[in-house]
Amino acid sequence: MKNLKLKSARALKDLSQNDLAKLVEVSRQTINAIEKGDYNPTINLCIAICKALDLKLNDLFWPEE
């Protein structure tokens, strides 16, 4: 499942995939794969992404009901 919440939150911070990748110390391809739903990140990576975007895990990685 695509993670459009991550893509939107990244865009609101005016960060490219590469910018976010550098902040959380992964490749741009990893961020792209997460956004496309092709990669399930570890909890540590999820936390790092949330910290970089000033959001909570529920904001980005919890499915909406």
Side-chain angles (χ1 to χ4, degrees):
M1 178 186 324
K2 289 186 178 183
N3 192 329
L4 298 178
K5 292 188 278 185
L6 173 56
K7 186 175 184 176
S8 175
R10 178 179 56 74
L12 284 173
K13 290 280 188 177
D14 199 30
L15 295 171
S16 67
Q17 288 181 343
N18 197 50
D19 294 334
L20 180 57
K22 286 180 183 178
L23 288 173
V24 298
E25 300 179 341
V26 297
S27 69
R28 181 203 57 80
Q29 291 87 348
T30 298
I31 300 299
N32 183 52
I34 295 168
E35 289 183 357
K36 287 174 41 180
D38 293 339
Y39 179 73
N40 190 13
T42 65
I43 188 68
N44 289 334
L45 180 52
C46 291
I47 291 168
I49 290 170
C50 287
K51 284 183 179 180
L53 297 174
D54 298 318
L55 295 170
K56 296 178 183 172
L57 285 171
N58 289 353
D59 296 331
L60 296 179
F61 296 104
W62 198 261
E64 295 191 18
E65 297 181 34

